[in-house]
mmCIF file of all heavy atoms in Angstrom:
data_model
loop_
_atom_site.group_PDB
_atom_site.id
_atom_site.type_symbol
_atom_site.label_atom_id
_atom_site.label_comp_id
_atom_site.label_asym_id
_atom_site.label_seq_id
_atom_site.Cartn_x
_atom_site.Cartn_y
_atom_site.Cartn_z
ATOM 1 N N GLU A 1 81.453 82.791 73.156
ATOM 2 C CA GLU A 1 80.292 82.700 74.029
ATOM 3 C C GLU A 1 80.793 82.429 75.432
ATOM 4 O O GLU A 1 81.832 81.801 75.639
ATOM 5 C CB GLU A 1 79.361 81.566 73.589
ATOM 6 C CG GLU A 1 78.769 81.762 72.201
ATOM 7 C CD GLU A 1 77.871 80.601 71.832
ATOM 8 O OE1 GLU A 1 77.776 79.668 72.663
ATOM 9 O OE2 GLU A 1 77.271 80.638 70.768
ATOM 10 N N ARG A 2 80.007 82.895 76.380
ATOM 11 C CA ARG A 2 80.353 82.633 77.784
ATOM 12 C C ARG A 2 80.128 81.163 78.096
ATOM 13 O O ARG A 2 79.187 80.545 77.608
ATOM 14 C CB ARG A 2 79.491 83.485 78.704
ATOM 15 C CG ARG A 2 79.751 83.239 80.188
ATOM 16 C CD ARG A 2 79.001 84.204 81.054
ATOM 17 N NE ARG A 2 79.523 85.542 80.887
ATOM 18 C CZ ARG A 2 79.168 86.561 81.652
ATOM 19 N NH1 ARG A 2 78.312 86.386 82.625
ATOM 20 N NH2 ARG A 2 79.681 87.756 81.436
ATOM 21 N N ASP A 3 81.006 80.606 78.899
ATOM 22 C CA ASP A 3 80.893 79.190 79.271
ATOM 23 C C ASP A 3 79.550 78.962 79.946
ATOM 24 O O ASP A 3 79.167 79.651 80.889
ATOM 25 C CB ASP A 3 82.038 78.849 80.226
ATOM 26 C CG ASP A 3 82.103 77.368 80.502
ATOM 27 O OD1 ASP A 3 81.187 76.650 80.074
ATOM 28 O OD2 ASP A 3 83.068 76.932 81.144
ATOM 29 N N ALA A 4 78.808 77.971 79.441
ATOM 30 C CA ALA A 4 77.468 77.728 79.980
ATOM 31 C C ALA A 4 77.524 77.295 81.445
ATOM 32 O O ALA A 4 76.543 77.474 82.192
ATOM 33 C CB ALA A 4 76.762 76.662 79.154
ATOM 34 N N ALA A 5 78.659 76.750 81.874
ATOM 35 C CA ALA A 5 78.753 76.297 83.247
ATOM 36 C C ALA A 5 79.153 77.397 84.208
ATOM 37 O O ALA A 5 79.214 77.182 85.414
ATOM 38 C CB ALA A 5 79.758 75.140 83.360
ATOM 39 N N ALA A 6 79.436 78.607 83.673
ATOM 40 C CA ALA A 6 79.876 79.702 84.549
ATOM 41 C C ALA A 6 78.700 80.152 85.409
ATOM 42 O O ALA A 6 77.562 80.184 84.960
ATOM 43 C CB ALA A 6 80.394 80.860 83.703
ATOM 44 N N PRO A 7 78.958 80.541 86.647
ATOM 45 C CA PRO A 7 77.877 80.990 87.507
ATOM 46 C C PRO A 7 77.220 82.227 86.938
ATOM 47 O O PRO A 7 77.863 83.105 86.382
ATOM 48 C CB PRO A 7 78.598 81.280 88.837
ATOM 49 C CG PRO A 7 79.893 80.545 88.761
ATOM 50 C CD PRO A 7 80.248 80.492 87.325
ATOM 51 N N ALA A 8 75.898 82.291 87.086
ATOM 52 C CA ALA A 8 75.154 83.441 86.574
ATOM 53 C C ALA A 8 75.581 84.699 87.325
ATOM 54 O O ALA A 8 75.744 84.710 88.536
ATOM 55 C CB ALA A 8 73.659 83.217 86.744
ATOM 56 N N GLY A 9 75.739 85.783 86.578
ATOM 57 C CA GLY A 9 76.064 87.062 87.192
ATOM 58 C C GLY A 9 77.537 87.286 87.412
ATOM 59 O O GLY A 9 77.941 88.345 87.878
ATOM 60 N N ARG A 10 78.389 86.312 87.109
ATOM 61 C CA ARG A 10 79.831 86.495 87.326
ATOM 62 C C ARG A 10 80.366 87.450 86.280
ATOM 63 O O ARG A 10 80.133 87.302 85.092
ATOM 64 C CB ARG A 10 80.540 85.157 87.223
ATOM 65 C CG ARG A 10 82.019 85.261 87.617
ATOM 66 C CD ARG A 10 82.744 83.954 87.364
ATOM 67 N NE ARG A 10 82.889 83.722 85.934
ATOM 68 C CZ ARG A 10 83.441 82.624 85.438
ATOM 69 N NH1 ARG A 10 83.858 81.675 86.240
ATOM 70 N NH2 ARG A 10 83.548 82.473 84.132
ATOM 71 N N GLU A 11 81.123 88.451 86.677
ATOM 72 C CA GLU A 11 81.689 89.428 85.775
ATOM 73 C C GLU A 11 83.206 89.322 85.794
ATOM 74 O O GLU A 11 83.805 88.974 86.809
ATOM 75 C CB GLU A 11 81.266 90.864 86.191
ATOM 76 C CG GLU A 11 79.758 91.073 86.151
ATOM 77 C CD GLU A 11 79.205 91.017 84.752
ATOM 78 O OE1 GLU A 11 79.990 91.228 83.796
ATOM 79 O OE2 GLU A 11 78.002 90.737 84.599
ATOM 80 N N LEU A 12 83.809 89.640 84.679
ATOM 81 C CA LEU A 12 85.261 89.669 84.603
ATOM 82 C C LEU A 12 85.786 90.876 85.350
ATOM 83 O O LEU A 12 85.168 91.939 85.341
ATOM 84 C CB LEU A 12 85.702 89.709 83.135
ATOM 85 C CG LEU A 12 85.305 88.493 82.286
ATOM 86 C CD1 LEU A 12 85.716 88.735 80.850
ATOM 87 C CD2 LEU A 12 85.927 87.237 82.827
ATOM 88 N N SER A 13 86.938 90.739 85.981
ATOM 89 C CA SER A 13 87.521 91.863 86.706
ATOM 90 C C SER A 13 87.997 92.921 85.727
ATOM 91 O O SER A 13 88.360 92.615 84.600
ATOM 92 C CB SER A 13 88.697 91.366 87.566
ATOM 93 O OG SER A 13 89.684 90.809 86.734
ATOM 94 N N PRO A 14 87.996 94.210 86.153
ATOM 95 C CA PRO A 14 88.427 95.286 85.243
ATOM 96 C C PRO A 14 89.920 95.219 84.980
ATOM 97 O O PRO A 14 90.691 94.595 85.713
ATOM 98 C CB PRO A 14 88.043 96.555 86.017
ATOM 99 C CG PRO A 14 88.051 96.145 87.454
ATOM 100 C CD PRO A 14 87.594 94.710 87.470
ATOM 101 N N GLN A 15 90.345 95.912 83.918
ATOM 102 C CA GLN A 15 91.764 96.005 83.591
ATOM 103 C C GLN A 15 92.483 96.795 84.674
ATOM 104 O O GLN A 15 91.941 97.773 85.206
ATOM 105 C CB GLN A 15 91.946 96.706 82.239
ATOM 106 C CG GLN A 15 91.410 95.926 81.052
ATOM 107 C CD GLN A 15 92.429 94.948 80.526
ATOM 108 O OE1 GLN A 15 93.372 94.600 81.217
ATOM 109 N NE2 GLN A 15 92.255 94.515 79.298
ATOM 110 N N PRO A 16 93.706 96.414 85.012
ATOM 111 C CA PRO A 16 94.451 97.193 86.004
ATOM 112 C C PRO A 16 94.867 98.544 85.438
ATOM 113 O O PRO A 16 94.895 98.740 84.225
ATOM 114 C CB PRO A 16 95.677 96.311 86.299
ATOM 115 C CG PRO A 16 95.849 95.497 85.060
ATOM 116 C CD PRO A 16 94.477 95.260 84.519
ATOM 117 N N GLY A 17 95.170 99.482 86.335
ATOM 118 C CA GLY A 17 95.592 100.806 85.915
ATOM 119 C C GLY A 17 96.448 101.468 86.976
ATOM 120 O O GLY A 17 96.928 100.815 87.930
ATOM 121 N N ILE A 18 96.642 102.769 86.812
ATOM 122 C CA ILE A 18 97.489 103.508 87.753
ATOM 123 C C ILE A 18 96.961 103.408 89.176
ATOM 124 O O ILE A 18 97.729 103.424 90.145
ATOM 125 C CB ILE A 18 97.587 104.979 87.304
ATOM 126 C CG1 ILE A 18 98.293 105.078 85.944
ATOM 127 C CG2 ILE A 18 98.338 105.817 88.334
ATOM 128 C CD1 ILE A 18 99.692 104.528 85.933
ATOM 129 N N ALA A 19 95.643 103.280 89.340
ATOM 130 C CA ALA A 19 95.074 103.149 90.675
ATOM 131 C C ALA A 19 95.563 101.891 91.397
ATOM 132 O O ALA A 19 95.534 101.835 92.638
ATOM 133 C CB ALA A 19 93.541 103.150 90.591
ATOM 134 N N ASP A 20 96.006 100.888 90.642
ATOM 135 C CA ASP A 20 96.511 99.645 91.246
ATOM 136 C C ASP A 20 98.025 99.665 91.417
ATOM 137 O O ASP A 20 98.620 98.624 91.730
ATOM 138 C CB ASP A 20 96.121 98.462 90.357
ATOM 139 C CG ASP A 20 94.625 98.368 90.139
ATOM 140 O OD1 ASP A 20 93.909 98.178 91.122
ATOM 141 O OD2 ASP A 20 94.185 98.519 88.979
ATOM 142 N N LEU A 21 98.639 100.819 91.203
ATOM 143 C CA LEU A 21 100.092 100.879 91.263
ATOM 144 C C LEU A 21 100.624 100.605 92.665
ATOM 145 O O LEU A 21 101.660 99.964 92.839
ATOM 146 C CB LEU A 21 100.566 102.261 90.781
ATOM 147 C CG LEU A 21 102.014 102.385 90.361
ATOM 148 C CD1 LEU A 21 102.372 101.363 89.299
ATOM 149 C CD2 LEU A 21 102.296 103.806 89.842
ATOM 150 N N GLY A 22 99.890 101.080 93.682
ATOM 151 C CA GLY A 22 100.336 100.832 95.062
ATOM 152 C C GLY A 22 100.398 99.355 95.395
ATOM 153 O O GLY A 22 101.353 98.864 96.003
ATOM 154 N N GLU A 23 99.380 98.614 94.963
ATOM 155 C CA GLU A 23 99.368 97.168 95.199
ATOM 156 C C GLU A 23 100.500 96.479 94.454
ATOM 157 O O GLU A 23 101.153 95.563 94.990
ATOM 158 C CB GLU A 23 98.025 96.609 94.753
ATOM 159 C CG GLU A 23 97.870 95.116 95.016
ATOM 160 C CD GLU A 23 96.511 94.616 94.582
ATOM 161 O OE1 GLU A 23 95.657 95.442 94.167
ATOM 162 O OE2 GLU A 23 96.286 93.382 94.652
ATOM 163 N N LEU A 24 100.786 96.933 93.229
ATOM 164 C CA LEU A 24 101.891 96.360 92.469
ATOM 165 C C LEU A 24 103.228 96.599 93.183
ATOM 166 O O LEU A 24 104.043 95.668 93.326
ATOM 167 C CB LEU A 24 101.937 96.985 91.073
ATOM 168 C CG LEU A 24 103.142 96.623 90.208
ATOM 169 C CD1 LEU A 24 103.140 95.134 89.863
ATOM 170 C CD2 LEU A 24 103.173 97.470 88.935
ATOM 171 N N VAL A 25 103.446 97.801 93.664
ATOM 172 C CA VAL A 25 104.704 98.114 94.347
ATOM 173 C C VAL A 25 104.823 97.309 95.637
ATOM 174 O O VAL A 25 105.917 96.809 95.984
ATOM 175 C CB VAL A 25 104.787 99.630 94.626
ATOM 176 C CG1 VAL A 25 105.971 99.963 95.548
ATOM 177 C CG2 VAL A 25 104.929 100.395 93.309
ATOM 178 N N ASP A 26 103.705 97.140 96.356
ATOM 179 C CA ASP A 26 103.746 96.335 97.582
ATOM 180 C C ASP A 26 104.149 94.901 97.289
ATOM 181 O O ASP A 26 104.946 94.293 98.027
ATOM 182 C CB ASP A 26 102.371 96.360 98.274
ATOM 183 C CG ASP A 26 102.052 97.725 98.867
ATOM 184 O OD1 ASP A 26 103.014 98.499 99.098
ATOM 185 O OD2 ASP A 26 100.868 98.020 99.097
ATOM 186 N N HIS A 27 103.613 94.315 96.212
ATOM 187 C CA HIS A 27 103.997 92.949 95.857
ATOM 188 C C HIS A 27 105.487 92.854 95.565
ATOM 189 O O HIS A 27 106.156 91.895 95.953
ATOM 190 C CB HIS A 27 103.190 92.488 94.646
ATOM 191 C CG HIS A 27 101.802 92.055 94.974
ATOM 192 N ND1 HIS A 27 100.825 91.897 94.033
ATOM 193 C CD2 HIS A 27 101.219 91.740 96.167
ATOM 194 C CE1 HIS A 27 99.714 91.501 94.614
ATOM 195 N NE2 HIS A 27 99.918 91.416 95.915
ATOM 196 N N VAL A 28 105.999 93.862 94.845
ATOM 197 C CA VAL A 28 107.418 93.821 94.512
ATOM 198 C C VAL A 28 108.266 93.993 95.763
ATOM 199 O O VAL A 28 109.310 93.347 95.921
ATOM 200 C CB VAL A 28 107.738 94.917 93.473
ATOM 201 C CG1 VAL A 28 109.236 94.989 93.215
ATOM 202 C CG2 VAL A 28 107.005 94.649 92.177
ATOM 203 N N ARG A 29 107.848 94.865 96.701
ATOM 204 C CA ARG A 29 108.606 95.060 97.940
ATOM 205 C C ARG A 29 108.678 93.774 98.757
ATOM 206 O O ARG A 29 109.657 93.519 99.450
ATOM 207 C CB ARG A 29 107.947 96.170 98.748
ATOM 208 C CG ARG A 29 108.229 97.572 98.210
ATOM 209 C CD ARG A 29 107.411 98.607 98.941
ATOM 210 N NE ARG A 29 107.677 99.959 98.467
ATOM 211 C CZ ARG A 29 106.897 101.001 98.699
ATOM 212 N NH1 ARG A 29 105.766 100.823 99.395
ATOM 213 N NH2 ARG A 29 107.209 102.188 98.223
ATOM 214 N N GLU A 30 107.598 92.973 98.678
ATOM 215 C CA GLU A 30 107.591 91.723 99.445
ATOM 216 C C GLU A 30 108.662 90.758 98.969
ATOM 217 O O GLU A 30 109.025 89.818 99.686
ATOM 218 C CB GLU A 30 106.212 91.079 99.354
ATOM 219 C CG GLU A 30 105.142 91.840 100.119
ATOM 220 C CD GLU A 30 103.749 91.256 99.890
ATOM 221 O OE1 GLU A 30 103.661 90.292 99.116
ATOM 222 O OE2 GLU A 30 102.780 91.761 100.485
ATOM 223 N N THR A 31 109.167 90.936 97.765
ATOM 224 C CA THR A 31 110.251 90.081 97.270
ATOM 225 C C THR A 31 111.605 90.477 97.825
ATOM 226 O O THR A 31 112.594 89.779 97.615
ATOM 227 C CB THR A 31 110.314 90.138 95.739
ATOM 228 O OG1 THR A 31 110.710 91.450 95.331
ATOM 229 C CG2 THR A 31 108.980 89.777 95.127
ATOM 230 N N GLY A 32 111.669 91.641 98.500
ATOM 231 C CA GLY A 32 112.925 92.129 99.029
ATOM 232 C C GLY A 32 113.520 93.282 98.252
ATOM 233 O O GLY A 32 114.529 93.862 98.669
ATOM 234 N N LEU A 33 112.937 93.635 97.113
ATOM 235 C CA LEU A 33 113.454 94.751 96.331
ATOM 236 C C LEU A 33 112.915 96.060 96.910
ATOM 237 O O LEU A 33 111.695 96.227 97.066
ATOM 238 C CB LEU A 33 113.012 94.629 94.854
ATOM 239 C CG LEU A 33 113.403 95.768 93.931
ATOM 240 C CD1 LEU A 33 114.919 95.838 93.762
ATOM 241 C CD2 LEU A 33 112.725 95.621 92.576
ATOM 242 N N ALA A 34 113.815 96.983 97.212
ATOM 243 C CA ALA A 34 113.417 98.280 97.733
ATOM 244 C C ALA A 34 112.929 99.156 96.586
ATOM 245 O O ALA A 34 113.674 99.455 95.672
ATOM 246 C CB ALA A 34 114.593 98.944 98.450
ATOM 247 N N VAL A 35 111.669 99.557 96.666
ATOM 248 C CA VAL A 35 111.055 100.359 95.609
ATOM 249 C C VAL A 35 110.461 101.615 96.230
ATOM 250 O O VAL A 35 109.764 101.555 97.246
ATOM 251 C CB VAL A 35 109.937 99.579 94.891
ATOM 252 C CG1 VAL A 35 109.362 100.418 93.755
ATOM 253 C CG2 VAL A 35 110.457 98.259 94.363
ATOM 254 N N GLN A 36 110.787 102.762 95.648
ATOM 255 C CA GLN A 36 110.207 104.028 96.071
ATOM 256 C C GLN A 36 109.311 104.548 94.953
ATOM 257 O O GLN A 36 109.655 104.446 93.763
ATOM 258 C CB GLN A 36 111.306 105.057 96.376
ATOM 259 C CG GLN A 36 112.096 104.716 97.636
ATOM 260 C CD GLN A 36 113.129 105.791 97.929
ATOM 261 O OE1 GLN A 36 114.145 105.867 97.236
ATOM 262 N NE2 GLN A 36 112.870 106.588 98.936
ATOM 263 N N LEU A 37 108.173 105.131 95.340
ATOM 264 C CA LEU A 37 107.175 105.596 94.374
ATOM 265 C C LEU A 37 106.895 107.064 94.635
ATOM 266 O O LEU A 37 106.600 107.469 95.769
ATOM 267 C CB LEU A 37 105.888 104.774 94.514
ATOM 268 C CG LEU A 37 104.682 105.243 93.691
ATOM 269 C CD1 LEU A 37 104.970 105.152 92.188
ATOM 270 C CD2 LEU A 37 103.439 104.456 94.067
ATOM 271 N N TRP A 38 106.992 107.872 93.559
ATOM 272 C CA TRP A 38 106.632 109.294 93.617
ATOM 273 C C TRP A 38 105.573 109.588 92.556
ATOM 274 O O TRP A 38 105.670 109.117 91.411
ATOM 275 C CB TRP A 38 107.839 110.199 93.338
ATOM 276 C CG TRP A 38 108.878 110.204 94.411
ATOM 277 C CD1 TRP A 38 108.861 110.876 95.585
ATOM 278 C CD2 TRP A 38 110.119 109.497 94.390
ATOM 279 N NE1 TRP A 38 110.004 110.644 96.318
ATOM 280 C CE2 TRP A 38 110.803 109.792 95.593
ATOM 281 C CE3 TRP A 38 110.728 108.625 93.481
ATOM 282 C CZ2 TRP A 38 112.043 109.260 95.893
ATOM 283 C CZ3 TRP A 38 111.951 108.103 93.775
ATOM 284 C CH2 TRP A 38 112.612 108.416 94.978
ATOM 285 N N ILE A 39 104.603 110.385 92.956
ATOM 286 C CA ILE A 39 103.604 110.875 91.992
ATOM 287 C C ILE A 39 103.604 112.387 92.089
ATOM 288 O O ILE A 39 103.301 112.966 93.143
ATOM 289 C CB ILE A 39 102.208 110.308 92.289
ATOM 290 C CG1 ILE A 39 102.219 108.777 92.194
ATOM 291 C CG2 ILE A 39 101.172 110.887 91.329
ATOM 292 C CD1 ILE A 39 100.885 108.127 92.502
ATOM 293 N N GLU A 40 103.953 113.048 91.014
ATOM 294 C CA GLU A 40 104.081 114.500 90.981
ATOM 295 C C GLU A 40 102.991 115.103 90.084
ATOM 296 O O GLU A 40 102.579 114.480 89.106
ATOM 297 C CB GLU A 40 105.451 114.903 90.437
ATOM 298 C CG GLU A 40 106.605 114.313 91.232
ATOM 299 C CD GLU A 40 107.947 114.616 90.577
ATOM 300 O OE1 GLU A 40 107.950 115.289 89.522
ATOM 301 O OE2 GLU A 40 108.984 114.169 91.119
ATOM 302 N N GLY A 41 102.565 116.287 90.430
ATOM 303 C CA GLY A 41 101.548 116.967 89.650
ATOM 304 C C GLY A 41 100.149 116.544 90.069
ATOM 305 O O GLY A 41 99.951 115.644 90.887
ATOM 306 N N GLU A 42 99.182 117.209 89.489
ATOM 307 C CA GLU A 42 97.782 116.917 89.808
ATOM 308 C C GLU A 42 97.307 115.718 88.995
ATOM 309 O O GLU A 42 97.347 115.735 87.766
ATOM 310 C CB GLU A 42 96.923 118.136 89.482
ATOM 311 C CG GLU A 42 95.462 117.959 89.848
ATOM 312 C CD GLU A 42 94.645 119.204 89.545
ATOM 313 O OE1 GLU A 42 95.232 120.226 89.135
ATOM 314 O OE2 GLU A 42 93.407 119.142 89.710
#
């Protein structure tokens, strides 16, 4: 059951996916690791 003290209308965030890959790579780059990303095909 949902916690009764939770604010009304609050929804859980969606699962991450390929659309969030850019944000993931940016976080990793901020650590100093050089990361290159390629997306090929349609």
Side-chain angles (χ1 to χ4, degrees):
E1 297 180 358
R2 178 174 292 190
D3 188 352
R10 187 186 71 182
E11 299 293 338
L12 298 176
S13 61
Q15 294 274 20
I18 296 300
D20 303 297
L21 198 55
E23 183 179 355
L24 172 66
V25 171
D26 290 339
H27 281 165
V28 174
R29 285 173 179 163
E30 290 174 358
T31 66
L33 176 66
V35 183
Q36 291 182 287
L37 173 64
W38 290 281
I39 299 179
E40 303 174 0
E42 183 179 355

